[in-house]
Each structure stands twice: as structure tokens, then as C-alpha cells.
Amino acid sequence: MTPELQQILLSPWVLGLLGLCIGSFLNVVIHRMPIMMERDWWADFVSMSLSDDDAWRRVFRRKDDPPAAQRETAKALTKELEALPKLNLVTPASRCPSCGHQLRWHENVPVAGYLRLGGKCAACKTPISKRYPIIEAATGLLFAATAWHVGTQPVALAWCGFVAALIAMTFIDIDIQILPDQLTLPLMWAGLLLAMFGLTIPLKEALWGAIGGYMSLWSVYWLFKLTRGKEGMGYGDFKLLAALGAWLGWKMLLPVVLAASIVGAVVGIIMRVRSDQHIPFGPYLAGGGLVMMFIGEATVLDWLGWSGY
Ligand SMILES: [Zn+2]
């Protein structure tokens, strides 16, 4: 590829447009991945627990057979699960959740499709959530900002992937309070691989970032659980911080957690969250990671007075 072509293809404008399209795909991921995961869990529960007589005997310390009702339930559920229409990230094509109207290509154009439809389904006029165009626009803007920040070099695409994964995780965590392993773990491995190939940060910093990210929140979790008898966060949060550490390095862990906690506290006060309410920490961690990526290690460490280390 000629340098001129690279300049154009990796420019903020082109990556911004790519971001709009990826944002449209992220809407599909955010909507479908939780449903796919929950279907898998049900299928696992039915096949591995409900239908497994030996497992039942081990768990309940019995020698006889499971009750007939349990077997019938397992059979009925298996049938129902098998009858569900196929769903993955590609099929079926995007459709209106209330009337099933399949989107035509021009209705599916990021942001513009929504605006042209006036925010309503073309067939049944049910309002379409503003979240769809907002996620598309935000992804476009963040991709453009990433291109501008990283510069016109191929690793900018990797950083765009980092941004996309964080956006998907943020909204899935808001929706179902879960950070899917399918997103946190590949993000961590990708960060370690990029460091190993010398494309981002030194491998040592990435490795300690991943280890430190996981261990630090894991320790806080157990401290909370043992001293106050409650769980302040989930295992997904540890994995997400491990991923952020793999991409940003161990020195950025504390700044990320500080930023996440401050924003989390402010939002909690504004929204008057009660202490017994569960608020997902993932979106704040993801946000903290994004902010720290854009500010950059040198500046952050300078603010903290650590630049000499
Ligand atoms: Zn409709």
C-alpha cells in the first residue's frame, strides 16, 4: 500500500465512517448477545442439570431416580428450545421488534436511516429507541478521534477494535448487569498479543496490567464480601480491568479505577442510587479506560506526579 493511500484510508474521516457502520453492528451485538447467552445457559441447564440423573443424585445426595416431573420438564424445555427461531449476530436480518418489519437497506443506514424515518418504524410507526442512532454516532466519533489520536498507522484499527468492544460491553452491562466472557477475554488476549508484537506497549507492562487488573478488583471483592457480607461487583469487572491493563499497562490501572469510581459516585448521587441497589461498574471502568487511552500515559502519570518512575 502506498503511503498516500494509507493516509487516506486511516484518516479520521474514513475511520469515522467505518465507525458509523461498526456502531450499527454493535447495536445488533448489544441487542442479541444477551439473548444468545441466556439461551445457551438455559440449554446448558436443561441438558447438564435437569436431564442428568447422576448429577441430580450427586447434588441432592440421593440414590433413587429424579422425580418424573423433573424429567418431563426437561423434555418439554428441550423441545421448546429447539423450536426457537435461529438467532445469531448475522441472522435474521434486522427487523422492527414490535411488528417484525424487515428493514430495507436505506432504513438501515447508520443515523441517516433513523433520521429519515423520523425515529419511527416505517410499517407500524412504533418509535425506535434513540439509543440506536446515539450508539452509531458515538462509535463514529470515537473512531475518528482514535484515528486522530493514534495517527495514520495500521495499529489505529486495533485501537478502534478496543473502542468498539468497550462500547458493546458498556451497554450490555447496563442492560443485563453482565460483562460477557466472549468480550472481556478476547479483548484481554488481543491486548497481550499486540504488546507481544511490539505494536502497543512493552509486553511486561501489558502482562502486569492484566494480572494487576484482575487481582486488584478480585481483592476488593473479597474484602467487601468478608467484611460487609455483600458483593460490590462481579467477576466480569475483574476481567474487564484485566483487559484494560493489557491494553494500557499496569501504570494506568489506578488512574482508570479512580476515574471510574469518581464518575460512578457522581452518577450515583445524581440518580439517587440507594445503597442496596446494584449499579453495574462495567460502564464506568470502560469509560475510565477510554478516557485514559485518549489522555495518554505520559500526561496521566505527569498529573499524578509519577512521571519519574
Ligand atoms: Zn414496526
Side-chain angles (χ1 to χ4, degrees):
M1 192 168 27
T2 63
E4 292 81 16
L5 189 61
Q6 183 170 324
Q7 287 283 326
I8 295 168
L9 288 181
L10 296 172
S11 68
W13 290 104
V14 174
L15 284 193
L17 284 175
L18 176 73
L20 285 174
C21 302
I22 298 288
S24 181
F25 176 66
L26 292 181
N27 277 321
V28 177
V29 173
I30 292 161
H31 181 69
R32 291 188 188 174
M33 195 179 249
I35 303 173
M36 287 157 58
M37 282 172 15
E38 284 173 338
R39 276 193 189 179
D40 281 347
W41 294 336
W42 271 87
D44 283 351
F45 169 65
V46 172
S47 72
M48 303 197 323
S49 306
L50 274 190
S51 317
D52 187 336
D53 295 355
D54 286 330
W56 180 83
R57 291 187 194 105
R58 285 194 296 271
V59 170
F60 296 103
R61 304 174 144 269
R62 305 269 289 249
K63 295 218 159 59
D64 49 338
D65 282 342
Q70 181 177 318
R71 289 176 168 178
E72 275 157 35
T73 307
K75 247 187 223 155
L77 283 174
T78 308
K79 222 177 182 177
E80 279 195 61
L81 283 165
E82 279 166 2
L84 285 173
K86 195 176 164 196
L87 180 86
N88 56 41
L89 296 181
V90 190
T91 46
S94 301
R95 54 188 67 217
C96 166
S98 47
C99 75
H101 162 69
Q102 192 175 318
L103 298 192
R104 283 162 290 182
W105 70 268
H106 55 85
E107 294 167 7
N108 219 350
V109 176
V111 185
Y114 176 88
L115 294 177
R116 234 185 115 220
L117 289 167
K120 291 189 191 87
C121 167
C124 71
K125 305 290 174 204
T126 304
I128 306 166
S129 167
K130 283 192 186 68
R131 212 169 89 168
Y132 293 102
I134 288 174
I135 287 176
E136 287 161 356
T139 311
L141 285 174
L142 284 170
F143 271 34
T146 304
W148 175 74
H149 178 71
V150 179
T152 50
Q153 39 182 336
V155 76
L157 288 173
W159 284 104
C160 285
F162 174 75
V163 169
L166 291 182
I167 294 171
M169 283 187 246
T170 295
F171 287 95
I172 292 176
D173 201 19
I174 289 172
D175 286 349
I176 62 167
Q177 284 80 53
I178 280 170
L179 291 165
D181 281 354
Q182 291 100 311
L183 293 174
T184 51
L185 298 181
L187 186 65
M188 181 189 75
W189 292 118
L192 292 176
L193 273 176
L194 287 164
M196 195 174 84
F197 288 113
L199 295 167
T200 48
I201 51 172
L203 180 58
K204 226 177 175 179
E205 292 193 13
L207 213 48
W208 282 115
I211 296 168
Y214 192 92
M215 294 302 291
S216 54
L217 288 192
W218 179 87
S219 318
V220 174
Y221 171 89
W222 280 104
L223 202 71
F224 248 81
K225 199 164 175 174
L226 295 176
T227 56
R228 299 179 59 183
K230 63 182 188 180
E231 298 172 9
M233 58 190 123
Y235 275 72
D237 296 319
F238 320 161
K239 294 172 203 165
L240 173 54
L241 191 60
L244 294 175
W247 283 78
L248 303 170
W250 65 270
K251 289 178 201 161
M252 295 292 255
L253 289 174
L254 191 62
V256 166
V257 174
L258 278 178
S261 308
I262 293 168
V263 178
V266 171
V267 172
I269 291 165
I270 292 171
M271 290 171 63
R272 297 161 178 269
V273 178
R274 296 188 313 272
S275 64
D276 58 332
Q277 247 175 324
H278 179 80
I279 29 162
F281 195 42
Y284 302 114
L285 280 178
L290 267 186
V291 170
M292 292 306 150
M293 166 199 150
F294 281 117
I295 298 176
E297 188 181 288
T299 313
V300 174
L301 298 187
D302 203 37
W303 283 351
L304 293 169
W306 292 353
S307 43
Y309 298 94

